[in-house]
């Protein structure tokens, strides 16, 4: 008997179930990260808009997107994403608060 996913030889159904469960868990983790990446991409564009509201030359827009995207790339897989984004915004946000 062998696992249909990874072709590993298994001795009985219990071992097969254990192997399949492991694959399901891996897949769930992968999908969660993928969803987070999509979410962060959307956040990147929103943050970019927010950041360039007060300084809006094309160079700034491109530079800011790079900064924001770099920040968000670093956040993939982290748990406390919103706290890190808030911290980043405090450092990079416009000086004037209206
Ligand atoms: Zn397997």
């Amino acid at each position: 008997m062998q696992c249909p996913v990874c072709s590993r030889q298994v001795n009985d159904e219990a071992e097969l179930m254990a192997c399949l469960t492991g694959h399901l868990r891996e897949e769930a983790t992968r999908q969660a990260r993928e969803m987070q990446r999509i979410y962060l991409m959307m956040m990147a564009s929103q943050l970019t808009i927010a950041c360039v509201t007060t300084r809006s030359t094309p160079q700034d827009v491109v530079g800011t997107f790079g900064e924001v995207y770099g920040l968000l790339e670093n956040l993939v897989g982290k748990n406390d994403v919103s706290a890190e984004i808030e911290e980043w915004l405090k450092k990079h946000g416009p000086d004037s608060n209206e």
Side-chain angles (χ1 to χ4, degrees):
M1 198 186 287
Q2 73 182 44
C3 172
V5 179
C6 65
S7 301
R8 189 170 74 86
Q9 289 295 329
V10 291
N11 295 319
D12 52 27
E13 285 190 11
E15 262 187 47
L16 177 62
M17 284 309 295
C19 201
L20 287 175
T21 303
H23 295 309
L24 282 176
R25 199 176 302 122
E26 287 161 15
E27 181 60 15
T29 302
R30 193 189 64 75
Q31 283 189 8
R33 294 208 165 197
E34 208 54 34
M35 284 306 296
Q36 190 180 31
R37 181 176 294 275
I38 291 166
Y39 169 72
L40 291 175
M41 278 296 290
M42 288 162 60
M43 283 297 296
S45 55
Q46 289 188 337
L47 284 177
T48 302
I49 291 166
C51 288
V52 300
T53 302
T54 55
R55 47 195 176 101
S56 54
T57 69
Q59 288 82 354
D60 279 341
V61 174
V62 172
T64 301
F65 183 84
E67 281 177 34
V68 171
Y69 190 71
L71 161 77
L72 297 183
E73 279 275 279
N74 289 332
L75 294 183
V76 171
K78 289 190 183 172
N79 293 324
D80 202 358
V81 167
S82 57
E84 299 227 15
I85 289 175
E86 270 183 39
E87 188 61 29
W88 187 91
L89 277 176
K90 272 183 209 155
K91 282 189 214 152
H92 292 77
D95 298 323
S96 60
N97 290 321
E98 284 156 24

